[in-house]
DNA sequence: ATTTAACATATAATGATTCTAAACTTGAAG
DNA sequence: CTTCAAGTTTAGAATCATTATATGTTAAAT
């Protein structure tokens, strides 16, 4: 399989030994058309669902997700207490967050442009800008 | 004391009985010139530091912070894994986040203007926009 | 094939937050 | 100004996500 090989070398290139577990997780996460948002809890459930052919320990999932993040293959997103989302889209971009369904949607960087801009404090420079647009069902009273 | 009275009625108005603990916490949080960013851990330490005249149980601090948030006196901000910040500035506004010192600074709403804007998904409307500008020390290599 | 550092694993440990059940306050009614 | 019920506070237990440990396993260099 070509795809598996590609993943193996992708891992190797970033200093990660392509173990069975890592390749399986990489396949699951990166062989997709759309970007994928998930929590470790999600991922663990999806991978270790009943009747799945291969199980991966929770600790390994944590290790792997962090290794992938460190290697730049995942981005971490903070939106909700106790929920740490990861994103397979590692480019600089923004998000819609649907509080009703707990769902994240990507907004590509070029869809948002800032007109006005604050000056960062002295001695500091801007590293990254993150916009989260919280959305609600229509006709909602607040 | 006028300030204490004001706080008591502020609490009463939002359906919270002005108990000793709540008034003390409200004083600590709201009788300030600048807005205040904190975690529950912070707040607990500040309130229950050695030699302080009055101690408040951790559970009460959690209860109270959540009650204040529900009543609209505090805003919750998500920026970092395992760190849930609260903000005494409840108006819609944005933040600088200094990853080096773990520090938040308010950016008033009118300092940022969006030029371009994505359309929200069907059936959804925008509730709130949150911009987090991550800052770094100058001359940092990434 | 052998070797060894890197890795995966189950389980224990940690740390933040929430729950629980009992004791104490508050404010309202008698 | 006592009494009382509902609302609060509290210490400690329980829970949940995450991280550490220490033991066995594997990838890949020799």
């Amino acid at each position: 399989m070509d795809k598996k090989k590609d993943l193996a070398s992708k891992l190797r290139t970033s200093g990660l030994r392509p173990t069975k577990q890592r390749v399986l997780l990489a396949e699951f996460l990166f062989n997709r058309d759309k970007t994928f948002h998930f929590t470790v809890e999600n991922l663990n459930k999806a991978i270790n669902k009943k009747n799945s052919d291969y199980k991966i320990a929770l600790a390994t999932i944590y290790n792997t997700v962090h290794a992938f993040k460190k290697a730049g293959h995942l981005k971490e997103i903070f939106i909700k207490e106790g929920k740490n989302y990861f994103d397979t889209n590692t480019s600089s971009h923004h998000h819609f967050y649907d509080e009703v369904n707990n769902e994240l949607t990507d907004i590509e960087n070029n869809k948002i442009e800032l007109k006005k801009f604050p000056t960062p404090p002295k001695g500091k420079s801007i590293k990254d800008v993150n916009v989260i647009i919280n959305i609600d069902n229509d006709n909602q009273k607040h």
Side-chain angles (χ1 to χ4, degrees), chain A:
Chain A
M1 241 172 202
D2 259 347
K3 278 192 171 178
K4 252 187 191 155
K5 252 195 187 164
D6 288 354
L7 283 174
S9 46
K10 178 178 180 172
L11 292 177
R12 242 186 292 265
T13 310
S14 35
L16 297 167
R17 280 208 325 217
T19 63
K20 244 190 286 191
Q21 294 85 345
R22 283 174 177 169
V23 171
L24 198 148
L25 284 167
E27 272 187 300
F28 184 82
L29 293 173
F30 306 130
N31 282 351
R32 292 172 178 269
D33 291 336
K34 294 184 184 176
T35 60
F36 183 50
H37 301 107
F38 64 96
T39 62
V40 171
E41 197 194 346
N42 283 345
L43 183 58
N44 183 45
K45 271 188 195 146
I47 292 288
N48 292 316
K49 60 171 178 284
K50 252 191 306 183
N51 312 323
S52 79
D53 36 344
Y54 193 74
K55 308 251 177 196
I56 301 180
L58 180 57
T60 303
I61 294 187
Y62 274 102
N63 288 340
T64 306
V65 165
H66 287 140
F68 284 1
K69 186 194 163 189
K70 208 169 176 183
H73 303 313
L74 288 174
K75 218 181 165 188
E76 199 167 2
I77 307 163
F78 309 106
I79 356 133
K80 226 194 153 172
E81 187 168 6
K83 294 257 173 195
N84 297 303
Y85 285 85
F86 291 88
D87 191 339
T88 56
N89 180 353
T90 57
S91 73
S92 175
H93 66 286
H94 310 291
H95 294 95
F96 282 121
Y97 179 56
D98 177 347
E99 297 183 15
V100 180
N101 305 313
N102 245 341
E103 255 174 35
L104 271 176
T105 320
D106 281 357
I107 303 169
E108 289 312 316
N109 227 22
N110 61 18
K111 293 276 179 190
I112 291 186
E113 251 180 76
L114 298 180
K115 195 186 207 168
K116 253 168 114 181
F117 220 78
T119 322
K122 264 179 218 151
K124 305 281 176 183
S125 46
I126 292 173
K127 190 182 167 188
D128 196 19
V129 177
N130 280 296
V131 179
I132 291 170
I133 302 185
N134 295 303
I135 55 179
D136 225 353
N137 290 330
D138 281 344
N139 311 317
Q140 203 81 18
K141 322 123 192 155
H142 300 133

